[in-house]
Amino acid sequence: MTSSQTFTGLNGITPVQQMMASCSGAIVTSLIVTPFDVVKIRLQAQRTPFFKGKCFLYCNGLMDHLCVCENGNTSAWYKAPGQFRGTLDAFVQIVRNEGLKSLWSGLPPTLIMAVPATVIYFTCYDQLRNLMNYRLGYDGNYVPLIAGASARVGAVTVISPLELIRTKSQSRRLSYRELKNVIQTSVAQNGWLSLWRGWGPTVLRDVPFSAIYWFNYELMKKQLCKTFSISEPTLTISFSSGASSGAIAAVLTLPFDVVKTQRQIEIGELDIMNSQSKLSSTWKIMKKIVSQSGFGGLFVGLLPRLMKVAPACAIMISSYEYGKSFFRKINKDRESEKPTSQALAEKIHTG
């Protein structure tokens, strides 16, 4: 058996199957989480009206979405607020007055960005981890940490231009031709690097989050599998490990999340005003937050962040692990059928 075969065999599934598993995980997570975020943002809008020329950002734990307000409403998927007495009442009223599908009104922008980002991220992580484990022979708790950080840098770098394009398309009602012209003008004026505006704060938040998340997830998963004497994680083990590691990473990287939110809103508002002003640096944003709210300002929104990140991480990783398990079983069954079919073919040939 060659090293390439060993690598593939130990991994158990092909990169294409990993992509399919991560894609299905992103879709499942989006389908489950989106209705809660639609209700949450409608309740928030009811309490704090959004004015023209302003943006608001929400995150369902899988993707951030920047919504741009125009004429008291918005050009994005978000609809005007209703009069709701609470979360349950909002669910009932939205379904009764607008139909069941309105609970998934935020799904298209989620899927457009979340699916490619998740596929790149999870597939790269698994490939890098397996490369370090099986080909390079490294075996230690630091492997998931390095693989997680590296995979996130790659995913953010690839997705950043799409994120900028999506922000511009939401800030004004643009045709594809107009959008192309806006991007060409931006590149002509500020160079190709302008397509990666906001890359710094995103990396600053997502890379430490990813490193901490995968380090803790693999550690917890391994420990729980050892405790219950099983070789592969069950759905419960994946879910609980994902939720716990997501919560830990969310707490430790909260200051970076606060800065990233401020930066994204600033990008959206500059786009509304069609301003060529330079964005504030990450350090400048942090200094501004500390001067206005003290160091506590860097830890604002801890509970809401935990409430969305932990469940989203749990659903995503358990869906992904289930998908990988499913493909591993298929591959194993195929391998076990091979000798029988080969023997039968030889018998027919010699007979």
Side-chain angles (χ1 to χ4, degrees):
M1 187 179 282
T2 65
S3 62
S4 172
Q5 287 172 318
T6 306
F7 178 60
T8 307
L10 286 168
N11 188 24
I13 58 174
T14 66
V16 173
Q17 289 172 331
Q18 286 174 335
M19 289 180 191
M20 290 170 70
S22 56
C23 180
S24 62
I27 292 169
V28 168
T29 307
S30 300
L31 285 170
I32 293 172
V33 175
T34 296
F36 294 99
D37 248 348
V38 168
V39 168
K40 183 190 73 182
I41 208 69
R42 297 284 286 273
L43 287 167
Q44 284 178 342
Q46 180 176 283
R47 289 194 297 270
T48 312
F50 301 111
F51 301 103
K52 184 179 178 180
K54 285 290 178 183
C55 299
F56 63 95
L57 185 83
Y58 85 97
C59 174
N60 59 12
L62 197 61
M63 288 299 296
D64 295 335
H65 294 295
L66 185 70
C67 294
V68 182
C69 307
E70 290 182 351
N71 301 321
N73 207 322
T74 176
S75 59
W77 56 267
Y78 164 74
K79 293 183 180 181
Q83 292 301 315
F84 310 120
R85 292 189 298 274
T87 304
L88 185 60
D89 183 55
F91 268 107
V92 172
Q93 282 203 51
I94 290 169
V95 172
R96 184 185 294 158
N97 301 326
E98 302 169 32
L100 188 63
K101 67 179 184 180
S102 286
L103 289 174
W104 283 272
S105 56
L107 192 58
T110 299
L111 293 179
I112 287 166
M113 293 299 296
V115 171
T118 306
V119 167
I120 293 166
Y121 175 44
F122 277 78
T123 307
C124 284
Y125 168 74
D126 261 346
Q127 289 296 309
L128 285 168
R129 189 195 59 181
N130 290 324
L131 174 70
M132 292 175 76
N133 279 336
Y134 304 136
R135 281 198 180 170
L136 302 179
Y138 298 130
D139 185 22
N141 293 330
Y142 62 87
V143 169
L145 193 145
I146 295 169
S150 305
R152 199 65 200 170
V153 170
V156 169
T157 303
V158 172
I159 293 299
S160 274
L162 296 179
E163 177 72 29
L164 182 67
I165 289 166
R166 182 171 64 83
T167 302
K168 284 184 179 292
S169 67
Q170 283 186 341
S171 65
R172 281 178 287 153
R173 295 180 187 279
L174 300 173
S175 65
Y176 288 114
R177 185 180 229 171
E178 287 171 327
L179 186 60
K180 183 184 173 185
N181 290 338
V182 167
I183 293 163
Q184 283 177 338
T185 304
S186 177
V187 171
Q189 290 176 346
N190 306 303
W192 283 101
L193 287 178
S194 64
L195 294 178
W196 280 268
R197 278 201 309 173
W199 181 87
T202 304
V203 164
L204 202 61
R205 180 195 67 175
D206 289 1
V207 171
F209 181 96
S210 183
I212 295 163
Y213 171 77
W214 286 111
F215 173 80
N216 285 297
Y217 173 73
E218 296 291 357
L219 209 61
M220 290 179 194
K221 182 179 76 170
K222 191 188 290 183
Q223 193 56 50
L224 286 169
C225 285
K226 190 177 176 183
T227 302
F228 293 103
S229 305
I230 51 176
S231 57
E232 279 194 24
T234 62
L235 206 60
T236 307
I237 286 174
S238 296
F239 191 91
S240 56
S241 300
S244 303
S245 52
I248 293 166
V251 171
L252 294 177
T253 59
L254 184 59
F256 303 122
D257 183 58
V258 173
V259 172
K260 170 71 164 36
T261 299
Q262 294 286 333
R263 187 67 174 272
Q264 279 189 293
I265 289 172
E266 188 180 345
I267 289 173
E269 291 179 357
L270 286 175
D271 282 335
I272 293 173
M273 297 180 286
N274 202 21
S275 171
Q276 296 301 317
S277 301
K278 288 190 75 174
L279 288 166
S280 304
S281 67
T282 300
W283 176 243
K284 192 175 178 182
I285 292 171
M286 289 185 91
K287 277 177 70 178
K288 184 182 174 184
I289 292 168
V290 171
S291 66
Q292 289 177 347
S293 313
F295 282 100
L298 294 172
F299 292 89
V300 167
L302 177 59
L303 189 58
R305 181 159 160 78
L306 282 175
M307 286 174 69
K308 60 195 174 188
V309 171
C313 285
I315 296 165
M316 179 63 220
I317 197 65
S318 51
S319 303
Y320 180 55
E321 291 284 13
Y322 178 81
K324 289 199 296 181
S325 241
F326 172 78
F327 285 119
R328 254 189 223 107
K329 188 175 184 302
I330 287 176
N331 293 345
K332 198 174 178 183
D333 290 344
R334 270 192 201 142
E335 287 297 320
S336 62
E337 284 171 10
K338 267 186 186 177
T340 309
S341 58
Q342 284 172 357
L344 186 62
E346 284 175 12
K347 192 175 180 182
I348 291 168
H349 181 70
T350 54

